[in-house]
Amino acid sequence: MAQRVLTTRPMLPGGGLDRLGAAVDLVRPPGPGKPAPETLHELAAGVDGILCLGNDSVDAALLDAAGPSLKVVSLASMGFDGVDQQAAADRGIVITHTPGVLAETTADLAFGLLLMARRRLGTARDSLLGGEWQAFDMGGHLGLDVYGATLGIIGYGAIGQAVARRGKGFGMRVLHHSRSTAPDGTGDIAPDENGSVAVDLPTLLAESDIISLHVPLSPATRNLIGAAELRAMKPTATLVNTARGGVVDEDALLEALDAGTLHSAGLDVFAREPMGPEPTALARHPRVVPLPHIGSATESTRAHMVDLAADNILDVLGGNPARTAIPGSSPVPRKDPA
Ligand code: DGY
């Protein structure tokens, strides 16, 4: 019998889904948007694999709805905070994601946000479109320099490193902090191959003009940037978040912006997504550049993500190890084939 794979969206960018559909029986949900959990549970019954997105909830209920035939859940996303990893491990199911293929594109967006926030490009554009451009104004739309500023990167995987390389190109002093590249205390402050220097978090917070977040959301990183961290930043600093909304305490961020103790923020991600017709006060703040979670949204990158997600399913269902299992997941199913 042919293997069956559920895709949680009927259509996705690129040719990955069609390629997958040529190799397995593809089960597609009826509508274009995110299906209700009950619909997904019904469609999942008896499938061998699930291809889903980062904002789908991969919980025990979905895994159990699929049943013992399920061997692999493949996310077309880098982030996997919507996955109950313990439930997957308990059931011997491989979880995969799409690291690498979206790093440069997401780094581009982080730079777009920091340029917009620092140079106040959104408000300048709005003022032109609002008919307010009556004269050249030496004192109007004044932002802060990006060239020569200190860029602090928190989280130093592929995306963080791609941001560092862009910072170097802008003549910035680049610092980074991550668990794996913490300074060793030897006083060695030579920049790495991306032109960035590893520092501890207090140093990064105190010295950076722009702070860009690139950590996954986990219990350890939830509210990593809270009131204390915001207080430790320069009042002229810009915070950029293309990681996950939950990494920042949004109430504390709004307070800092209101109080003028932080210059600006560029935010592609929020605690509440999607926002629908009522954007939050934080998203509407004049010193915030808000975007609707589009870090990896280019035609080729989204196609590469779907391709890699399809390949991971084909690997596992073909009896091979997944090429990009999430950290902590076995690349092969830990059970007898059903
Ligand atoms: C990712 O890949 O994690 C993006 O945020 C889209 O989910």
Side-chain angles (χ1 to χ4, degrees), residues 17 25 97 103 177 277:
L17 212 49
D25 277 349
H97 67 149
H177 174 75

Side-chain angles (χ1 to χ4, degrees), residues 53-55 76-81 98 102 106 242-244 268-269 293 295-296 302 305:
L53 304 190
N55 66 349
S77 81
M78 167 73 189
F80 47 87
D81 42 287
T98 58
L102 46 70
T106 306
T242 54
R244 285 292 183 268
D268 183 43
V269 288
H293 202 143
S296 58
R302 287 282 163 88
M305 291 164 73

Side-chain angles (χ1 to χ4, degrees), residues 24 37 186-187 201 265 310:
V24 301
T186 61
L201 189 57

Side-chain angles (χ1 to χ4, degrees), residues 16 50 98 129 133 146 164 172 186 201 226 251 260-261 302 315:
I50 299 176
T98 58
L129 294 176
W133 188 15
V146 171
M172 299 169 97
T186 61
L201 189 57
D251 292 338
T261 55
R302 287 282 163 88
D315 287 344

Side-chain angles (χ1 to χ4, degrees), residues 68-138:
S69 58
L70 184 65
K71 297 167 196 70
V72 54
V73 176
S74 175
L75 279 78
S77 81
M78 167 73 189
F80 47 87
D81 42 287
V83 177
D84 183 337
Q85 295 180 55
Q86 190 58 55
D90 290 347
R91 290 157 183 76
I93 295 163
V94 179
I95 305 287
T96 69
H97 67 149
T98 58
V101 293
L102 46 70
E104 300 293 342
T105 299
T106 306
D108 281 348
L109 191 92
F111 248 79
L113 278 172
L114 79 81
L115 285 165
M116 284 191 74
R118 264 337 245 175
R119 296 296 306 272
R120 309 187 58 203
L121 302 185
T123 47
R125 174 184 182 276
D126 291 348
S127 113
L128 180 151
L129 294 176
E132 291 161 23
W133 188 15
Q134 306 294 345
F136 176 77
D137 178 2
M138 275 295 272

